[in-house]
Amino acid sequence: MAEKREHWGSKFGFILAAAGSAIGLGNIWKFPYIAGENGGAAFVFIYLICIAMIGLPVLIAEILLGRTTQRNPVGAFNKLNGRPFWTMVGGIGVLAGFIILSFYSVVAGWSIGYIVEAVKGTFYNYPDAASAGEHFDALVHNAWWVIGYHGLFFILTMIVVYFGVKGGIERGSKIMMPVLFVILIILVIRGVTLEGADKGLTFLWNPDWSKITSQSVLIALGHAFFTLSLGMGAMMTYGSYLSEKDNIPAAALEIVILDTLIALLAGVAIFTAVFATAQDPAVGPGLIFRTLPVVFTKMPGGFLFAILFFLLLTLAALTSAISLLEVVVAFFVDEMNWTRHRAVLVFGFITFLLGVPSALSFNLLADYKLFDHTFFDVMDFLASNILLPVGGFFISIFVAWVWGLDRAVVELKKGAVNLFEKHAGIIRSWKWFLKYLSPVMILIVFLYSIGLIK
Ligand code: PFF
């Protein structure tokens, strides 16, 4: 089986695919709105610490587990340890992928729907946020609109994964990622040249510590995992298509830098626009869908930018969604001997169905609340704030304490001999972060969040 496993065509292809997984709705849609809700700069600061001290070490660990075992998350733990508990940890990862994809696709579907709205010229008509907000509400109140685009997004995701690692995922990422980057830069330039943009920059860079609560620290950590696609084996699965000649720490650093850069740029593009048009930065999940239409209305060439922006938001979501589906597909291909095509068709469809109640959370099921939250919110919280940190905790524990850092380091050295010779300190810090800091921090934040410590 291992000899026949698919591999990336090049290291660059892997970086783009992994950055594609990392960069998604999390960066362009979620990061700006959670930063907005949690006071801006102070939250960004905590988020950056989480990324550097916990995200990067866990990312390296995940890619390493995948490359070493050449397996999906369940197979990876099984191969290195074999105890049912660890197999279950891999299983939780596959489950998390399934859950995230189900609600992720709903929002990605809005983005496709907005491309259509943009083409229709809708974004020429919004002098203020209220009218754009009403339009958004009207769209998401329409169950068919939401489910239809959710379904369409799923079909696109399935097509890419259907064509395999090199022919689908890698090829798609090589086209989609550079385009995304260019468009975002254009939007940033537009944003910072708007009158009043400086207030947005102040919001993003000048911390208001009073807004930080234990809840915001939890959200920052959860988001660090979400944005780097960690804690559920997506990066493990992508790492399993890598060969031993590739330098994992360097690749991981590049992925983290790209991901963080894009999130910050998205923050700049959006908050400059939000403040320049005197809107509320803390409106939550609707931020991008309520705010940007106003910006497009006001900006010369807004018609074209609107089409491009939502096209590219969709592409960013697509390169992430394919990595989520790939985790589930790799599991069925490796462990159950299914063909890729069958796994894509069957699990694509089942995950689509799980997404339907999330899609209905904005309309027919809006009043059905669980702990005061809609089904969509519950899925998001369960995945981002519970399953991913728990997954990240056990991945750190596994590599540092169960599989063992000595063995991990032997594997990590492959393709990275230079780094070990010239920057031994970096490797030492990685070991320390993974062994102590990340499990302890994840645990404290997690227990805090579920109220076990105060
Ligand atoms: N990292 C993606 C984003 O920021 O949008 C979301 C994601 C993709 C999470 C893949 C987890 C995952 F496995």
Side-chain angles (χ1 to χ4, degrees), residues 342-384:
R342 181 170 168 212
V344 169
L345 294 176
V346 171
F347 276 89
F349 187 63
I350 295 180
T351 320
F352 162 76
L353 288 183
L354 180 69
V356 169
S358 288
L360 298 181
S361 293
F362 297 90
N363 36 71
L364 302 180
L365 299 182
D367 294 330
Y368 288 84
K369 302 266 168 88
L370 217 66
F371 308 113
D372 212 24
H373 291 289
T374 63
F375 188 83
F376 178 96
D377 294 334
V378 171
M379 290 287 118
D380 184 11
F381 186 82
L382 178 69
S384 317

Side-chain angles (χ1 to χ4, degrees), residues 86-162:
W86 292 106
T87 309
M88 190 190 73
V89 171
I92 289 180
V94 176
L95 180 74
F98 177 60
I99 293 178
I100 295 174
L101 182 56
S102 74
F103 71 82
Y104 199 80
S105 163
V106 172
V107 180
W110 298 347
S111 179
I112 302 186
Y114 262 52
I115 299 175
V116 176
E117 293 299 305
V119 171
K120 288 199 310 210
T122 313
F123 300 133
Y124 255 165
N125 305 325
Y126 296 118
D128 55 51
S131 53
E134 272 165 32
H135 188 69
F136 174 74
D137 291 338
L139 290 172
V140 299
H141 282 151
N142 177 348
W144 291 115
W145 188 84
V146 182
I147 292 184
Y149 285 118
H150 162 59
L152 181 59
F153 182 78
F154 243 99
I155 292 171
L156 296 175
T157 307
M158 286 161 68
I159 290 175
V160 179
V161 179
Y162 191 88

Side-chain angles (χ1 to χ4, degrees), residues 2 46 54 67 71 83 117 163-164 173 221 226 232 260 268 308 364 383 402:
I46 292 174
I54 302 173
R67 185 182 71 177
R71 288 281 189 286
R83 294 225 172 78
E117 293 299 305
F163 285 106
S173 307
L221 185 69
F226 186 84
M232 48 145 294
T260 307
V268 170
L308 286 176
L364 302 180
V402 180

Side-chain angles (χ1 to χ4, degrees), residues 245-400:
K245 61 183 187 332
D246 295 314
N247 182 333
I248 293 180
L253 185 65
E254 284 167 43
I255 296 164
V256 165
I257 290 176
L258 282 174
D259 184 74
T260 307
L261 192 68
I262 298 285
L264 294 176
L265 286 178
V268 170
I270 290 170
F271 286 119
T272 48
V274 168
F275 281 86
T277 48
Q279 290 162 75
D280 180 4
V283 295
L287 183 63
I288 207 170
F289 297 97
R290 293 165 189 272
T291 305
L292 289 188
V294 183
V295 178
F296 294 132
T297 300
K298 298 196 167 180
M299 140 196 321
F303 175 74
L304 191 67
F305 286 123
I307 298 172
L308 286 176
F309 181 83
F310 286 106
L311 175 65
L312 295 161
L313 181 64
T314 306
L315 296 179
L318 194 55
T319 52
S320 298
I322 57 184
S323 72
L324 288 159
L325 186 57
E326 182 62 23
V327 175
V328 184
V329 167
F331 168 73
F332 278 90
V333 171
D334 290 347
E335 306 301 313
M336 309 288 170
N337 280 327
W338 283 29
T339 63
R340 164 174 291 274
H341 293 174
R342 181 170 168 212
V344 169
L345 294 176
V346 171
F347 276 89
F349 187 63
I350 295 180
T351 320
F352 162 76
L353 288 183
L354 180 69
V356 169
S358 288
L360 298 181
S361 293
F362 297 90
N363 36 71
L364 302 180
L365 299 182
D367 294 330
Y368 288 84
K369 302 266 168 88
L370 217 66
F371 308 113
D372 212 24
H373 291 289
T374 63
F375 188 83
F376 178 96
D377 294 334
V378 171
M379 290 287 118
D380 184 11
F381 186 82
L382 178 69
S384 317
N385 300 100
I386 299 192
L387 294 179
L388 298 190
V390 167
F393 174 78
F394 283 118
I395 287 167
S396 314
I397 295 285
F398 183 81
V399 172

Side-chain angles (χ1 to χ4, degrees), residues 67-87:
R67 185 182 71 177
T68 305
T69 58
Q70 301 278 299
R71 288 281 189 286
N72 69 90
V74 170
F77 283 110
N78 226 341
K79 192 165 170 183
L80 292 176
N81 183 279
R83 294 225 172 78
F85 176 79
W86 292 106
T87 309

